[in-house]
Amino acid sequence: MTQTLESPVTTGPAARWLTDFEAALSARDIPAAAGMFATPSFWRDLVSFSWNLTTVEDPDGVTDLLENTLDRTDPRGFILAEPEETTDGVTTAWFDFETAVGRGHGLLRLKDEDGQQKAWTMLTTLQELKGHEEPRGLRRPKGAQHGIDRNRQTWAEKRRQEAETLGLTEQPYALIVGGGQGGIALGARLRQLGVPALVIDRHARPGDQWRGRYKSLCLHDPVWYDHLPYLKFPDNWPVFAPKDKIGDWLEFYTQVMEVPYWSATTATTSAYDEGSGTWTVEVERAGEKLTLHPTQLVMATGMSGKPNIPDFPGMDVFTGEQHHSSQHPGPDAYAGKRVVVIGSNNSAFDICGALWEHGADVTMVQRSSTHIVKSDSLMEIGLGDLYSERALAAGVTTEKADLIFASLPYRIMHEFQVPLYEQMAERDKDFYERLEGAGFWHDWGDDGSGLFMKYLRRGSGYYIDVGAAELVANGDVKLAHGEVSHLTEDAVVLADGTSLPADLVVYATGYGSMNGWAADLISQEVADRVGKCWGLGSGTTKDPGPWEGEQRNMWKPTQVEQLWFMGGNLHQSRHYSLYLALQLKARYEGIPTPVYRLQEVHHLR
Amino acid sequence: MTQTLESPVTTGPAARWLTDFEAALSARDIPAAAGMFATPSFWRDLVSFSWNLTTVEDPDGVTDLLENTLDRTDPRGFILAEPEETTDGVTTAWFDFETAVGRGHGLLRLKDEDGQQKAWTMLTTLQELKGHEEPRGLRRPKGAQHGIDRNRQTWAEKRRQEAETLGLTEQPYALIVGGGQGGIALGARLRQLGVPALVIDRHARPGDQWRGRYKSLCLHDPVWYDHLPYLKFPDNWPVFAPKDKIGDWLEFYTQVMEVPYWSATTATTSAYDEGSGTWTVEVERAGEKLTLHPTQLVMATGMSGKPNIPDFPGMDVFTGEQHHSSQHPGPDAYAGKRVVVIGSNNSAFDICGALWEHGADVTMVQRSSTHIVKSDSLMEIGLGDLYSERALAAGVTTEKADLIFASLPYRIMHEFQVPLYEQMAERDKDFYERLEGAGFWHDWGDDGSGLFMKYLRRGSGYYIDVGAAELVANGDVKLAHGEVSHLTEDAVVLADGTSLPADLVVYATGYGSMNGWAADLISQEVADRVGKCWGLGSGTTKDPGPWEGEQRNMWKPTQVEQLWFMGGNLHQSRHYSLYLALQLKARYEGIPTPVYRLQEVHHLR
């Protein structure tokens, strides 16, 4: 049969579903609309209906979402964005739609339920606000101001004027505290959307967040996963960018995207002023004290921003050097030294590997089990369908990959992940046998769902192996187990009495919840109102329930109005910066943004 | 009829032509191959057959090219790269092919001649050398060096080591004198190809070549035409980039592409050393004298690099300020001053406009007629099919546009240009009437072929109007005519005795031929052996014959071995840098590069 007879664009099941769905929505017939969803089913909305990041489940959840949002959202114009495809009984379709205030894009998956094609997953996302479209492509700025104008200001003069006024005589609408990849990506989005925003960061230059880390560090995620908004890495960019190279790129990007950015600036205190409806933020900029009054305060200090520094007895009597992994300068000074690294996740492995390479005598202290995957296996099996040259060749652009990924419901994501990690276990069987033979405590996550779920649930507990695991497997890096009891003048003593002589102790002990930053900057009370950031409430290790459905407090409204959290890896910084920027833009323009199902606080840290 | 019956990919006229052409070439049957070209016809080759940039004409020219190149080129594997298209009797086809040493890409146009489909135009280009493919896409570098290596060098360490050795203890194979867009683009290509190259430039920072120009300057060419290799401007980039923004981009680009670049460095003298087969180049780098010994010397000092500073009597007695347009700082200091601008091309107009906007009393001295087109008209009618959002939407990428443009033979290019400028004349009729009514001497080029032919033939004689022409048309900027007789203490006196009182005189008198740079740096003798750079030998004003067929001395072998000229606008810097880089790479690798039809010298400057 020819394609023409099989699936014309307007008459496939997805096209029909969208037409019927729109008809039900137009008629405000919520039971009819909800009846078009299967059980189970998952509708994930990024801002377009909910002014929130939220997932509802099953017809009941759809009913609740629509009852609360349908009238004001006034959705319409549902139309296939490209031909639908059916594979293994699932029809997948990209679609566009409109709301009262914006334009959206979505991804629908249909399955048969009792002889009817029903929605199994649906992703709806807001892409732009009407009347506030970004100046890109056909709308790009002209640059030169043609014609004659006796009050002409050049681009350089305008930039200089902004630098001399923003944050000084003009207040930013949004203050972004933290200028790593998250703050920069959000700053670039807000610049594009015309929202006056200022990024502040304590380092001397944008990119120093990466430059300052241990010298052998390269990104553990591959280039296809790491693009920033608007400007992709060129096709000669390394798969795993060295930290200094990514640092330089971030610095350049900040300038090219004209992100207002104050380096060498620390926010010291902040408080919300009910009278003015703005935050009062005290900052020190290159030694000078200034007060800012932003309406919106965004903590972009990083989900890996606030070090967990342990408090072991004897840390004060230890006479060697000791520091958190985030402060580790690299291995050069430690040839021939005895180093004890507390921890067995990403940073611990990278630091152990580099130290061993430089001739240090290295012991890793494993306190709990760790999940390890080989970088190549993760790339090929875990990411390759979405983020790779192969994916690009198959038409899966970065933007498409982001939405495909976003369309997989968190509730069932682990089910899709488990088989991938089973493949990796099989592929690298010898490696895991050797690793466990060396006494390493290895796990695949509570439910065997592997690395990405660990990242989303707890943001810790894994290592993407780029070589150092071999050193543990073969005994070059020594392995010890258990909790630290205390430190002596020259050793780390474990709970079982093992004494590990040390010239240097590295605490690769991870990072705390981002609301800790709010405690430091604002108050413990406000931090507690916000609650724990990150995690899904999966009820697995370090991610206590109840089920939240989305990452706690990230990129969406929190219990503290006008306070937001931006963070995550480069992928998340790229993807979610759009949705946070649109939420801020709507507020800046006075567009009503009633939040559907504002998250509750179940944990404080 | 369905498409399937009409033109399957393998049996259209172009597919058949390529098959037959390859058969003739394989059989070394030159008469058969040459007989497949129409009269007239044009085969333009960029490096792939000729190790030159050259165009041969008609079956005789094809015969000559093949007799000299066929055996060693050993071309084969001609295959359509995408389906051919037939419009108005011309079949157009993109194709790929191989040579003994490389892979090529081409564009063929067939026309009917006496009932046979014959080649009317053919472009063949070398895209890469076998065994020396660029590390891009699937071949991109890994970045992180996985595994364990006790001699590991980080990216930052390697970069530092190179900076500490290249040009000092290690000699660059190629020295590129001049670090504007041309030098940077070539430097980026050579870095990709693994050719040790060093770019030197007298300015403090990359991009200062643009930053230092008059402050209202924006690019006169639109963004789609201006991309550099490897990394395109983002889609929020202005259509006409302000000079400081493009300066920042060039600086960033140099760093991201890891182009070895010495700022604040001037080459003072250079001589070829027959013994070593290298150049001896004396440079001053931030005050320190150094000697470099590159094998290849590339002058990338810019086709608009060496100012023509006139030598009018009385310039020494004039007590006001006087400078060449390239030194003009912008209008700020000249409010209320009397300014005389000598010249009536691009820089003259931009400077007059900015001065008038700032309240100066401005007179333009027109010495010869100028061609003016409105920027909008040029964009829409002149460039829109190849370089625009419209072109992109139609699948004409920048790379495709470059090759389409390159495939139009210079010999007949003006015939395609004339109707475009006739459209512009009609569209902006009122404007031209007003302009000529104000006494402005306006022309459309000797043969009515307009701006682009003027650019290719003489590199001068035009203005892309972004507003300032209106000031001349309405008399706000005063217009005087004729040659300058002399200057007095406070005025410019013209040949007809007109005296123009002046506080400032700007010499917008253009730039000399690039071989003048070689005269300064090496010797007049070497500059004369090279001869005039730029121009086609069209026999039109300022482009004396005989016909050269290609731009004189640009991006290709000159009469002085190991001496090259790189230059032109951003489009040319992007496009031709590939072909110059491949010529240098082949020589670096010891691949034989016999040059077909090395150009002769007909003019010295």
Side-chain angles (χ1 to χ4, degrees):
Chain A
M1 237 185 308
T2 70
Q3 200 187 4
T4 311
L5 292 176
E6 200 168 75
S7 61
V9 171
T10 48
T11 63
R16 282 193 299 271
W17 191 97
L18 288 171
T19 303
D20 294 348
F21 186 58
E22 180 169 351
L25 296 181
S26 294
R28 302 295 188 259
D29 184 347
I30 292 175
M36 297 177 66
F37 285 76
T39 305
S41 62
F42 308 89
W43 176 359
R44 187 174 191 213
D45 180 59
L46 305 182
V47 184
S48 65
F49 282 68
S50 61
W51 292 107
N52 199 351
L53 313 187
T54 197
T55 303
V56 295
E57 301 185 8
D58 303 345
D60 283 356
V62 172
T63 301
D64 190 64
L65 173 64
L66 290 177
E67 281 176 351
N68 284 279
T69 65
L70 181 55
D71 273 340
R72 63 162 176 75
T73 303
D74 192 19
R76 59 196 118 101
F78 287 80
I79 185 167
L80 286 185
E82 49 188 270
E84 58 191 80
E85 286 180 11
T86 302
T87 311
D88 297 335
V90 176
T91 295
T92 303
W94 294 97
F95 63 94
D96 295 322
F97 66 101
E98 280 184 48
T99 71
V101 300
R103 292 181 196 89
H105 191 55
L107 184 56
L108 175 69
R109 290 190 190 85
L110 300 179
K111 268 187 174 175
D112 179 272
E113 187 183 75
D114 303 330
Q116 277 194 297
Q117 288 289 314
K118 292 197 175 180
W120 171 44
T121 74
M122 182 163 79
L123 172 73
T124 49
T125 70
L126 184 66
Q127 292 294 308
E128 63 184 7
L129 291 163
K130 291 178 186 171
H132 305 286
E133 294 81 5
E134 291 189 48
R136 301 169 68 178
L138 284 167
R139 295 175 191 272
R140 71 172 77 224
K142 191 150 182 182
Q145 184 192 341
H146 290 178
I148 293 301
D149 175 4
R150 284 206 142 159
N151 299 307
R152 183 191 298 270
Q153 257 195 329
T154 67
W155 174 83
E157 285 168 339
K158 280 182 203 151
R159 292 276 287 151
R160 199 175 314 121
Q161 188 184 39
E162 184 186 85
E164 286 166 0
T165 56
L166 185 68
L168 302 164
T169 55
E170 306 276 340
Q171 284 305 312
Y173 178 74
L175 180 69
I176 301 167
V177 180
Q181 61 225 19
I184 289 171
L186 181 61
R189 299 272 196 197
L190 292 174
R191 161 67 81 187
Q192 279 297 111
L193 288 168
V195 177
L198 177 63
V199 181
I200 63 173
D201 191 89
R202 67 190 166 89
H203 297 87
R205 291 156 57 199
D208 279 353
Q209 302 84 1
W210 284 97
R211 290 190 196 95
R213 299 202 58 204
Y214 54 92
K215 84 173 188 179
S216 64
L217 176 65
C218 290
L219 297 193
H220 288 192
D221 292 323
V223 55
W224 309 280
Y225 190 70
D226 296 336
H227 295 297
L228 289 168
Y230 308 117
L231 184 65
K232 292 197 169 71
F233 298 113
D235 69 358
N236 60 1
W237 195 260
V239 177
F240 301 103
K243 70 172 175 94
D244 295 286
K245 194 167 170 70
I246 200 82
D248 288 353
W249 180 273
L250 287 172
E251 182 172 9
F252 147 68
Y253 180 90
T254 302
Q255 187 171 355
V256 166
M257 290 296 152
E258 303 180 14
V259 178
Y261 194 103
W262 286 2
S263 288
T265 302
T266 312
T268 51
T269 67
S270 177
Y272 186 72
D273 178 346
E274 296 283 352
S276 65
T278 61
W279 295 90
T280 301
V281 185
E282 305 292 341
V283 307
E284 277 191 35
R285 184 188 189 189
E288 189 192 356
K289 287 183 198 298
L290 292 161
T291 305
L292 296 170
H293 299 286
T295 303
Q296 307 286 348
L297 181 60
V298 182
M299 302 301 290
T301 34
M303 64 156 295
S304 299
K306 197 170 151 67
N308 274 339
I309 297 173
D311 185 22
F312 298 130
M315 281 170 66
D316 53 335
V317 304
F318 180 68
T319 57
E321 202 181 334
Q322 50 186 328
H323 49 234
H324 187 264
S325 58
S326 60
Q327 304 296 321
H328 181 66
D332 301 84
Y334 306 106
K337 304 283 184 187
R338 298 162 305 174
V339 183
V340 174
V341 177
I342 313 292
S344 55
N345 289 346
N346 256 338
S347 298
F349 269 99
D350 274 359
I351 289 170
C352 286
L355 285 165
W356 183 87
E357 281 185 350
H358 277 71
D361 174 54
V362 188
T363 304
M364 174 186 278
V365 177
Q366 186 173 32
R367 301 185 299 164
S368 58
S369 82
T370 296
H371 168 48
I372 300 186
V373 285
K374 291 205 153 284
S375 173
D376 289 347
S377 303
L378 182 65
M379 287 249 298
E380 253 185 75
I381 299 172
L383 284 176
D385 288 347
L386 293 182
Y387 300 98
S388 65
E389 294 294 328
R390 163 161 62 92
L392 284 175
V396 183
T397 61
T398 307
E399 292 73 15
K400 263 194 167 168
D402 287 350
L403 291 177
I404 293 170
F405 196 83
S407 77
L408 302 175
Y410 284 135
R411 177 78 89 175
I412 55 171
M413 192 180 279
H414 59 283
E415 297 173 16
F416 296 87
Q417 296 285 305
V418 169
L420 303 180
Y421 288 85
E422 285 172 353
Q423 279 181 60
M424 295 186 218
E426 183 57 34
R427 170 178 160 139
D428 299 319
K429 204 170 160 212
D430 292 354
F431 164 72
Y432 291 110
E433 277 172 9
R434 273 183 292 120
L435 193 66
E436 284 165 23
F440 193 82
W441 297 336
H442 183 260
D443 70 81
W444 292 90
D446 287 12
D447 50 5
S449 60
L451 189 135
F452 207 79
M453 295 313 301
K454 273 203 166 185
Y455 175 72
L456 291 172
R457 290 165 172 176
R458 50 180 283 196
S460 67
Y462 53 82
Y463 170 52
I464 300 175
D465 181 31
V466 292
E470 207 55 60
L471 294 173
V472 171
N474 70 16
D476 282 341
V477 165
K478 287 170 264 180
L479 189 62
H481 285 102
E483 282 303 324
V484 173
S485 159
H486 61 281
L487 278 74
T488 66
E489 267 193 16
D490 59 0
V492 174
V493 182
L494 302 183
D496 68 357
T498 306
S499 176
L500 305 168
D503 303 304
L504 166 68
V505 180
V506 180
Y507 301 109
T509 42
Y511 299 85
S513 163
M514 285 182 72
N515 65 332
W517 292 110
D520 288 358
L521 181 62
I522 310 167
S523 68
Q524 190 61 52
E525 185 265 327
V526 164
D528 288 350
R529 271 169 59 208
V530 169
K532 178 178 166 72
C533 297
W534 208 262
L536 299 169
S538 61
T540 57
T541 305
K542 297 200 180 178
D543 183 31
W547 179 248
E548 306 272 0
E550 296 282 333
Q551 297 247 276
R552 296 182 189 93
N553 282 313
M554 298 306 299
W555 318 294
K556 62 176 183 172
T558 72
Q559 287 286 345
V560 178
E561 259 189 85
Q562 298 168 232
L563 179 62
W564 308 78
F565 291 82
M566 173 79 207
N569 60 27
L570 281 152
H571 154 73
Q572 291 166 313
S573 295
R574 169 184 68 246
H575 180 64
Y576 287 107
S577 56
L578 172 62
Y579 305 104
L580 178 47
L582 287 171
Q583 292 173 77
L584 294 171
K585 173 69 174 177
R587 284 161 175 83
Y588 176 68
E589 296 293 344
I591 296 168
T593 57
V595 175
Y596 170 70
R597 225 171 54 168
L598 182 68
Q599 65 189 336
E600 291 165 27
V601 174
H602 301 105
H603 306 282
L604 297 186
R605 56 186 60 87
Chain B
M1 241 187 304
T2 70
Q3 199 186 4
T4 311
L5 292 176
E6 198 168 76
S7 60
V9 171
T10 49
T11 63
R16 282 193 299 270
W17 191 95
L18 288 171
T19 303
D20 295 347
F21 186 58
E22 181 168 353
L25 296 181
S26 295
R28 302 294 188 261
D29 185 347
I30 291 175
M36 297 178 66
F37 285 76
T39 305
S41 61
F42 308 89
W43 177 359
R44 186 175 192 213
D45 180 58
L46 305 183
V47 184
S48 65
F49 281 67
S50 63
W51 291 106
N52 199 350
L53 313 187
T54 196
T55 304
V56 294
E57 300 185 8
D58 303 346
D60 283 356
V62 172
T63 301
D64 189 64
L65 174 63
L66 290 177
E67 281 176 351
N68 284 280
T69 64
L70 181 55
D71 273 340
R72 62 162 178 74
T73 303
D74 193 21
R76 59 199 119 98
F78 288 81
I79 187 167
L80 287 184
E82 50 187 89
E84 58 191 82
E85 287 180 11
T86 302
T87 311
D88 297 336
V90 177
T91 296
T92 303
W94 293 97
F95 63 94
D96 296 321
F97 66 102
E98 280 184 46
T99 70
V101 300
R103 292 183 195 87
H105 191 55
L107 184 56
L108 175 69
R109 290 189 189 86
L110 300 178
K111 267 187 172 174
D112 179 273
E113 186 183 75
D114 303 330
Q116 278 194 296
Q117 289 289 313
K118 292 198 174 180
W120 170 46
T121 74
M122 182 162 79
L123 171 73
T124 49
T125 70
L126 183 67
Q127 291 294 306
E128 64 184 6
L129 291 163
K130 292 178 185 171
H132 305 286
E133 295 80 5
E134 291 188 47
R136 302 168 66 179
L138 283 167
R139 295 176 190 272
R140 69 171 80 224
K142 191 149 180 182
Q145 184 191 342
H146 290 179
I148 293 300
D149 175 3
R150 284 206 141 158
N151 299 307
R152 183 191 296 270
Q153 258 196 328
T154 67
W155 174 83
E157 286 167 340
K158 281 182 205 151
R159 293 274 289 151
R160 200 176 312 121
Q161 187 183 41
E162 184 186 85
E164 285 165 1
T165 56
L166 186 67
L168 302 163
T169 57
E170 306 276 338
Q171 285 304 312
Y173 178 73
L175 180 70
I176 301 167
V177 180
Q181 62 224 19
I184 290 171
L186 181 61
R189 300 272 195 195
L190 292 174
R191 162 67 80 187
Q192 280 297 110
L193 287 168
V195 177
L198 177 63
V199 181
I200 62 172
D201 191 272
R202 66 189 165 89
H203 297 87
R205 291 157 57 198
D208 279 353
Q209 301 84 2
W210 284 98
R211 290 190 196 93
R213 299 200 60 205
Y214 53 91
K215 80 173 193 180
S216 64
L217 177 65
C218 290
L219 296 193
H220 288 193
D221 292 323
V223 57
W224 309 280
Y225 190 70
D226 296 335
H227 295 298
L228 289 169
Y230 308 117
L231 184 64
K232 292 197 168 73
F233 298 112
D235 70 358
N236 60 1
W237 194 261
V239 177
F240 302 102
K243 69 173 177 94
D244 294 286
K245 193 167 171 71
I246 200 82
D248 288 353
W249 180 273
L250 287 172
E251 182 172 10
F252 145 68
Y253 180 90
T254 302
Q255 188 170 353
V256 166
M257 291 295 152
E258 303 180 15
V259 178
Y261 193 105
W262 286 2
S263 289
T265 302
T266 312
T268 51
T269 68
S270 176
Y272 185 71
D273 178 345
E274 296 283 349
S276 65
T278 62
W279 295 90
T280 301
V281 185
E282 307 291 341
V283 307
E284 277 191 36
R285 184 188 189 189
E288 189 192 356
K289 286 183 200 298
L290 293 162
T291 305
L292 297 170
H293 299 286
T295 302
Q296 307 287 348
L297 181 61
V298 182
M299 302 301 291
T301 32
M303 64 157 296
S304 300
K306 197 171 151 65
N308 274 338
I309 297 174
D311 185 22
F312 298 130
M315 280 170 68
D316 53 335
V317 304
F318 180 68
T319 57
E321 202 180 334
Q322 51 187 328
H323 48 237
H324 187 264
S325 58
S326 60
Q327 304 297 322
H328 182 65
D332 301 85
Y334 305 107
K337 303 284 183 185
R338 298 161 306 173
V339 184
V340 173
V341 177
I342 313 292
S344 55
N345 288 347
N346 256 338
S347 298
F349 269 99
D350 274 0
I351 290 170
C352 285
L355 284 165
W356 184 87
E357 282 185 349
H358 277 70
D361 174 54
V362 189
T363 303
M364 173 187 278
V365 177
Q366 186 174 31
R367 301 185 301 164
S368 58
S369 81
T370 296
H371 168 48
I372 300 185
V373 285
K374 291 207 154 284
S375 173
D376 288 348
S377 303
L378 181 66
M379 288 249 297
E380 253 186 74
I381 299 172
L383 284 176
D385 287 347
L386 294 181
Y387 301 97
S388 64
E389 294 295 327
R390 163 161 62 92
L392 285 174
V396 182
T397 61
T398 307
E399 292 73 15
K400 263 194 165 168
D402 287 351
L403 291 178
I404 294 170
F405 197 83
S407 76
L408 301 175
Y410 284 136
R411 178 77 89 175
I412 54 171
M413 193 180 279
H414 58 283
E415 297 172 17
F416 296 87
Q417 296 285 307
V418 169
L420 303 180
Y421 287 85
E422 286 171 353
Q423 278 182 60
M424 295 186 217
E426 183 57 33
R427 172 178 158 138
D428 298 320
K429 204 169 162 211
D430 292 352
F431 164 71
Y432 291 109
E433 278 172 8
R434 271 182 294 119
L435 193 66
E436 285 165 21
F440 193 82
W441 297 337
H442 183 261
D443 71 81
W444 293 90
D446 287 11
D447 50 6
S449 60
L451 188 134
F452 206 79
M453 295 313 301
K454 273 202 167 185
Y455 175 73
L456 291 172
R457 290 165 172 176
R458 52 181 281 195
S460 67
Y462 53 81
Y463 171 52
I464 300 176
D465 182 30
V466 291
E470 207 54 61
L471 294 173
V472 171
N474 71 16
D476 282 340
V477 166
K478 286 171 263 181
L479 189 62
H481 285 100
E483 282 302 324
V484 173
S485 158
H486 62 280
L487 278 73
T488 65
E489 267 193 18
D490 59 359
V492 174
V493 182
L494 302 183
D496 67 356
T498 307
S499 177
L500 304 168
D503 303 303
L504 166 67
V505 179
V506 180
Y507 301 109
T509 43
Y511 299 86
S513 163
M514 285 182 72
N515 65 333
W517 292 109
D520 288 358
L521 180 62
I522 310 168
S523 68
Q524 189 62 51
E525 185 266 328
V526 164
D528 288 350
R529 272 168 58 208
V530 168
K532 178 179 167 72
C533 298
W534 209 263
L536 299 170
S538 63
T540 58
T541 305
K542 296 200 181 180
D543 183 31
W547 178 248
E548 307 272 1
E550 295 282 333
Q551 297 246 277
R552 294 183 189 90
N553 282 313
M554 298 307 299
W555 319 293
K556 62 175 182 174
T558 71
Q559 287 285 346
V560 178
E561 260 188 81
Q562 296 167 234
L563 179 62
W564 309 80
F565 290 82
M566 173 78 206
N569 59 27
L570 282 152
H571 154 72
Q572 291 167 313
S573 295
R574 168 183 70 247
H575 180 64
Y576 287 107
S577 55
L578 172 62
Y579 304 105
L580 178 48
L582 288 170
Q583 292 174 77
L584 294 170
K585 172 69 172 176
R587 284 162 175 81
Y588 176 68
E589 297 293 344
I591 296 169
T593 56
V595 175
Y596 170 70
R597 224 170 56 168
L598 181 68
Q599 66 190 336
E600 291 166 26
V601 174
H602 300 106
H603 304 283
L604 298 186
R605 56 187 60 87

